[in-house]
Every structure is written in C-alpha cells, then in structure tokens.
Amino acid sequence: MEKDALREMIKRHEGLRLKAYPCSRNHLTIGYGWNLKNPLPRSMDAYLNVNGEITEAMAERLLDISIDTAIRQAWSIFPQFGGFSERRQMALIDFLFNVGAGTALTFKKALAAIYKGDWETAADEMTDSRWFKQVGSRSREIVEMIRNG
C-alpha cells in the first residue's frame, strides 16, 4: 500500500490545527485529528502547555502514530486485509483513523459483508449510518472506495 497517498488522504480529510479544538463529536482534538483523550508524548504535552499549540512537525509525528495504530487495527479486525485492493485498504485505514476500532466494530453488518467480500453490501451498510451523515465528503469518498475498490 502506498503510505504517502494514505497520509495525504487523511491529512486532506482531517485538516491541520495546531491549537486544541473540539471535533464534531466534541472531543478535544489537535493536529491531524489526535484525540486528546489519548495522552500526548511527554515533550509534546509540555510544549503544548507552555505555548498553547504544537508545531507542524509534532502534528506530523502524531499523524504517523495514529496511522500506524489504524493499520494495526485493520490487520487485527480483517484477517484477510492483505488481499484487499489498495484503495479498500486505504479506505478502511482512514475509517479506523476517523472512528477508532471500538466504533468500527459496531458496524456489524458492514463488517460481516467485508468478511464475505461483499463490497456492495458493505458500502450500503456504511452509507446507512449516522457516521455517514455526520462526516460528509470524507464518508462519501471512503464508501466509494469500499464499493469500487
């Protein structure tokens, strides 16, 4: 999988904010969607506390950590992940980056369809969710990638 293309897609979907802000679900967030319920590395936390914001380099590092986490989650949730098309892999990683593994696991019908390789049903199930309506263009792009590979 082309990790640079994945990074750019997530960066486009998340946007960059160096100061903490409430996300659409009212979770305090920073950088490219880092949920501050997850502790920052100590040096970044100290920097944020002194300066009221993080640097772009720090945001990039947090992005890498979050992408690596989403990739591990994708391999854990989907044993056949390596056999998926690159676009479907990217879509699922972006989805996991966005909602986290706990929420992703609540998409039971979509997951069952993915396990069967029924991408049309998986896309339909994702479309029929509150997430799809809340996330806007990101969800439409992810679902299109799931549906069409």
Side-chain angles (χ1 to χ4, degrees):
M1 176 188 33
E2 178 56 45
K3 197 167 181 182
D4 287 340
L6 172 65
R7 284 180 104 258
E8 291 309 311
M9 182 174 74
I10 291 173
K11 286 170 77 169
R12 179 171 41 83
H13 287 159
E14 289 291 338
L16 172 62
R17 295 196 193 170
L18 301 177
K19 294 183 179 194
Y21 65 96
C23 73
S24 61
R25 298 202 56 199
N26 215 28
H27 299 291
L28 204 55
T29 306
I30 200 161
Y32 295 103
W34 179 276
N35 184 333
L36 286 170
K37 285 184 179 179
N38 300 314
L40 289 170
R42 215 175 276 185
S43 61
M44 286 187 208
D45 190 48
Y47 188 92
L48 176 61
N49 286 331
V50 169
N51 297 289
E53 64 183 17
I54 60 173
T55 67
E56 192 168 338
M58 290 174 180
E60 294 284 338
R61 177 68 186 123
L62 294 172
L63 176 64
D64 288 338
I65 293 168
S66 296
I67 288 173
D68 289 345
T69 297
I71 290 170
R72 282 192 306 278
Q73 291 171 340
W75 279 98
S76 175
I77 294 169
F78 306 106
Q80 70 278 44
F81 187 71
F84 297 167
S85 72
E86 183 172 318
R87 284 177 44 86
R88 287 182 175 129
Q89 288 180 355
M90 288 175 56
L92 291 169
I93 292 166
D94 192 317
F95 176 66
L96 285 161
F97 184 103
N98 183 223
V99 304
T103 298
L105 290 171
T106 67
F107 283 67
K108 294 187 184 311
K109 291 179 183 176
L111 294 177
I114 291 169
Y115 295 145
K116 293 179 195 171
D118 183 354
W119 298 105
E120 191 73 27
T121 299
D124 289 345
E125 291 297 335
M126 292 176 85
T127 300
D128 187 27
S129 70
R130 190 171 31 187
W131 164 81
F132 185 83
K133 293 163 190 68
Q134 289 174 338
V135 179
S137 63
R138 179 186 206 156
S139 61
R140 289 189 297 276
E141 182 175 357
I142 289 172
V143 166
E144 184 277 326
M145 293 170 76
I146 294 291
R147 188 180 308 278
N148 299 315

